[in-house]
Amino acid sequence: MFHGPVADAHYGQFVDTFHEYTVVATEGGRVVARGHSVPLALGIPGRRNLPPDGWDRMLIWAFDDHRRKRRTNVVGAVEVVIDPDHRGRGLSALMLRAMADNARAGGYRRMVVPVRPTAKHQHPQLPMDEYVKDVGPDGLPHDPWLRTHVRMGGEIVGTAPTSMVIPGLLEQWRRWTGLPFDKDEEVIVEGALAPVHCSVSAGHAIYGEPNVWISHNLT
């Protein structure tokens, strides 16, 4: 996940560029969770709908808007990170609410999230459009992270089939994963939400991560 070109270009700039959209949780003076979001403009020419290349495109738009000093009307949640020693305590939902509250306090009426479902890696070959249909008797998604969003009032509005694209030479993929990448095939990589497309003849492999677009009405 650290080798995508869009992430590599923008990831380290969230706090410096959009510090007012970063929230943290602390315990005893130590940061135990953080949440990053970015402001962007939607509904303008070329941006009528949430993009299929979700996470990547959201960052490209947000940083472009910042450079052009364009007026923004939506906040996009980038990530929530929890300290491993503090997982299982409900901090993810707490941070998501804090990000929504922060956006609302800034005058925004909508927060969009290209969600990375936490249990999708257990079903890498299942299309995301099918995965989101897996709900329990209560009508909520079985996936824990999707369920958290929906419980908070978020609405699943679509999928982003190429939300994060990670290309690389075969030798890079071998180094990243420890797998041979020696056949023209779909390679299952531990933790990935979908197979990696490997082409020995072309000498490269490409991972397109699918995410789920969720929209939160902040009004």
Side-chain angles (χ1 to χ4, degrees), residues 128-207:
M128 188 64 86
D129 287 335
E130 294 298 317
Y131 183 79
V132 298
K133 296 176 183 177
D134 184 17
V135 299
D138 56 3
L140 296 175
H142 273 129
D143 185 89
W145 194 214
L146 292 178
R147 186 165 62 244
T148 295
H149 280 269
V150 173
R151 276 178 171 165
M152 281 185 56
E155 178 185 3
I156 296 176
V157 294
T159 58
T162 54
S163 190
M164 179 183 286
V165 176
I166 303 176
L169 299 175
L170 296 184
E171 61 188 48
Q172 290 178 299
W173 279 100
R174 291 167 185 145
R175 186 170 67 251
W176 296 339
T177 66
L179 299 175
F181 278 88
D182 56 358
K183 298 179 183 177
D184 289 341
E185 62 181 358
E186 304 276 283
V187 181
I188 303 300
V189 174
E190 183 179 358
L193 307 194
V196 177
H197 301 277
C198 175
S199 174
V200 174
S201 57
H204 66 245
I206 299 176
Y207 174 59

Side-chain angles (χ1 to χ4, degrees), residues 17-85:
T17 307
F18 304 115
H19 59 273
E20 66 269 40
Y21 298 90
T22 294
V23 297
V24 298
T26 62
E27 183 175 84
R30 175 190 174 199
V31 174
V32 297
R34 71 176 187 268
H36 294 298
S37 55
V38 294
L40 64 149
L42 284 180
I44 64 175
R47 302 188 193 179
R48 297 300 183 189
N49 301 305
L50 292 170
D53 46 349
W55 196 89
D56 282 354
R57 185 61 55 182
M58 186 174 72
L59 292 190
I60 292 171
W61 284 352
F63 279 90
D64 181 65
D65 291 341
H66 176 75
R67 286 190 296 269
R68 296 174 184 270
K69 302 186 184 303
R70 184 180 284 129
R71 184 176 180 180
T72 58
N73 54 14
V74 171
V75 165
V78 174
E79 70 169 2
V80 172
V81 179
I82 309 297
D83 185 294
D85 293 337

Side-chain angles (χ1 to χ4, degrees), residues 200-219:
V200 174
S201 57
H204 66 245
I206 299 176
Y207 174 59
E209 170 154 302
N211 286 173
V212 179
W213 275 117
I214 291 186
S215 178
H216 289 267
N217 186 337
L218 304 180
T219 59

